[in-house]
Amino acid sequence: MASFYALYSSRNGRHSCRAGSVNHHLDGARADPNKLCFILHTGGIAGTTFLAVVKTNLQKLIRIFFLFPLLQLSLFCRARYFLCSDGKEAMLFLNKAQPGDTIALADGVYNDALIRFAAQGVAASPVVFMAQTGGQVFFEGRSTLSFSGSYIVVKGFCWRNGGTINEQSVIEFKTAADKPADYSIVEHCSIDNYNNADKTIDNKWISVYGKYNTVKNCLLRGKDNLGATLTVWLKDGEPAHHTVEYNHFLQRINGPAADNGLESMRIGDSKTSMTDAFCLVQLNLFEECDGEIEIISNKSGKNSFLNNTFYNSNGGLTLRHGNGAICDGNFFFGNNKPGSYGIRIIGENHTVSSNYFSGLNGSADKFRAPITVVNGVENSPPNGYLKEKKGLKTGKFIIN
């Protein structure tokens, strides 16, 4: 396998890019405004490594070391940095972005910014949309963000002072029903009390579509209207492999005084409950999440809930639909709050192990205990309560 590296320097010196260990392979060589340096690095027979450096300018070929065999050649495009003064300018660059490009939005407050874009990065060189300074770009009013494509990173933005966006999600991993984002990341963002004025309107703050996406290191505080704070949407029969990690879900409020539809997180729904999603939810903090009985509502199969902390919350983790979930290493600190509980289990082949439960007040008439196994209903419809038929695997747990 061969890899192709390029070291580029523009004439005016404003843009530069390097891919791979260019300086090491060039042995101190440097590109200048008129030269483009290429490095060919390939594996040879018996693990021998061959190196060819091709250094060209506009006039002549200085040196060539040609290698054999040459199996594959991949060219990394030069990365560029663009600082934009408003959302429209950012969208212009984002929709034309190339792998490795970074589009930064200048620090400030942006009202009613509707940002929608499609971009294609690669694993080693994603397209990055970021705040000029993390935590210093504020979206207010009716601002939303939606994006599609692959290998996109969004980071450093804050949503506040607004949120009357009807049923629209604040952040959406798609731009159309058939145009999701894949292999993309939202990180170091916050959505803070960004709510519809009408608390009965159902909208989500983060809607995750596609596959292999990640939401991490985000603060989601003060959602008080209908609609899960973060929802993973699935296609029937298609694994998703999303990751939700290191986030703080804080102060989920039941504004409409409803019994359902106010989860902090939902993965799937009753229509896709038999889909094995293979999502990972780990190392998140759920604090004062009082929206409803299900802080996390698992509604698909083969998802893992690992090392999360539930603190001072009226609710717990519910395996509502789907089979084969793993709940391991989670902490539940109820502080004797009414309605606090641990894990509610419905379905088949779940594994619950090494969880810690403390100060859970619970409720006997609403399936709220440190561990609740629901008997289920014979011949239940998909949106009902399936019986536990094929075994529940349990390991060590501590109840205080």
Side-chain angles (χ1 to χ4, degrees):
M1 187 69 66
S3 297
F4 193 70
Y5 298 80
L7 175 63
Y8 175 84
S9 177
S10 67
R11 288 181 177 274
N12 59 21
R14 291 188 62 187
H15 302 303
S16 64
C17 173
R18 67 191 66 220
S21 303
V22 176
N23 290 342
H24 171 73
H25 292 305
L26 281 177
D27 295 325
R30 293 291 184 271
D32 62 40
N34 295 312
K35 296 176 181 178
L36 183 61
C37 300
F38 300 98
I39 299 175
L40 202 57
H41 187 196
T42 183
I45 300 173
T48 305
T49 299
F50 296 96
L51 177 66
V53 178
V54 181
K55 193 173 184 180
T56 67
N57 58 24
L58 299 178
Q59 303 295 326
K60 61 183 179 179
L61 183 65
I62 298 176
R63 188 172 61 177
I64 299 177
F65 290 94
F66 188 75
L67 304 179
F68 183 84
L70 179 61
L71 302 178
Q72 182 178 350
L73 202 61
S74 62
L75 178 63
F76 287 82
C77 299
R78 60 189 176 113
R80 302 171 296 177
Y81 178 92
F82 302 99
L83 180 60
C84 302
S85 60
D86 58 46
K88 291 183 179 180
E89 183 183 16
M91 281 195 294
L92 178 65
F93 285 105
L94 285 164
N95 283 305
K96 296 181 179 179
Q98 302 194 8
D101 285 356
T102 295
I103 291 82
L105 191 57
D107 294 348
V109 178
Y110 298 86
N111 194 53
D112 297 339
L114 306 179
I115 298 177
R116 178 185 296 262
F117 69 91
Q120 296 290 337
V122 296
S125 300
V127 172
V128 178
F129 179 42
M130 62 179 289
Q132 180 185 9
T133 304
Q136 296 301 312
V137 172
F138 301 96
F139 293 119
E140 299 185 349
R142 297 172 56 85
S143 298
T144 59
L145 169 66
S146 57
F147 58 94
S148 60
S150 59
Y151 296 105
I152 298 165
V153 177
V154 174
K155 62 181 179 179
F157 298 113
C158 305
W159 280 262
R160 67 179 190 183
N161 297 337
T164 300
I165 55 177
N166 297 321
E167 296 180 354
Q168 176 70 36
S169 298
V170 181
I171 302 174
E172 198 166 37
F173 284 71
K174 73 170 185 177
T175 54
D178 60 344
K179 294 181 180 179
D182 300 322
Y183 300 96
S184 295
I185 299 172
V186 170
E187 62 181 346
H188 299 291
C189 291
S190 70
I191 306 177
D192 193 352
N193 288 281
Y194 197 71
N195 295 303
N196 276 296
D198 183 348
K199 305 310 174 188
T200 66
I201 292 178
D202 185 325
N203 84 306
K204 282 68 177 172
W205 275 5
I206 301 179
S207 285
V208 184
Y209 295 86
K211 58 189 178 184
Y212 291 100
N213 294 313
T214 299
V215 178
K216 64 180 182 179
N217 300 109
C218 292
L219 170 65
L220 305 172
R221 175 167 55 190
K223 192 175 193 302
D224 67 0
N225 64 295
L226 282 175
T229 304
L230 184 152
T231 300
V232 172
W233 299 94
L234 303 173
K235 284 189 175 182
D236 193 21
E238 295 186 13
H241 298 283
H242 300 309
T243 298
V244 181
E245 61 185 2
Y246 300 106
N247 302 289
H248 191 179
F249 294 80
L250 177 61
Q251 296 170 350
R252 182 66 168 101
I253 301 165
N254 189 340
D259 294 328
N260 196 19
L262 295 113
E263 307 96 329
S264 292
M265 184 187 305
R266 194 186 80 219
I267 303 178
D269 55 28
S270 58
K271 297 177 183 177
T272 58
S273 61
M274 293 296 103
T275 295
D276 290 338
F278 295 99
C279 292
L280 172 63
V281 178
Q282 66 176 357
L283 296 163
N284 300 283
L285 172 60
F286 299 86
E287 182 179 2
E288 297 179 10
C289 291
D290 303 333
E292 61 150 273
I293 186 173
E294 299 177 8
I295 296 174
I296 296 179
S297 184
N298 180 72
K299 294 187 174 181
S300 51
K302 301 294 179 66
N303 298 315
S304 297
F305 303 92
L306 312 177
N307 305 309
N308 301 285
T309 299
F310 300 79
Y311 181 78
N312 196 33
S313 296
N314 178 357
L317 166 57
T318 293
L319 308 180
R320 182 64 181 85
H321 298 309
N323 302 315
I326 298 174
C327 302
D328 183 85
N330 301 288
F331 292 82
F332 298 83
F333 299 99
N335 289 353
N336 293 313
K337 190 169 191 174
S340 58
Y341 73 98
I343 303 172
R344 185 166 58 131
I345 303 164
I346 304 158
E348 303 175 356
N349 289 328
H350 299 304
T351 299
V352 178
S353 59
S354 302
N355 298 284
Y356 181 88
F357 308 93
S358 176
L360 302 176
N361 191 292
S363 174
D365 61 337
K366 291 187 177 180
F367 307 111
R368 297 179 188 237
I371 297 179
T372 302
V373 180
V374 179
N375 187 42
V377 178
E378 287 288 353
N379 302 316
S380 172
N383 63 344
Y385 289 83
L386 297 179
K387 289 186 69 65
E388 170 60 54
K389 294 180 179 179
K390 296 183 180 179
L392 168 66
K393 301 174 185 177
T394 60
K396 295 180 180 179
F397 57 85
I398 299 175
I399 300 176
N400 180 10

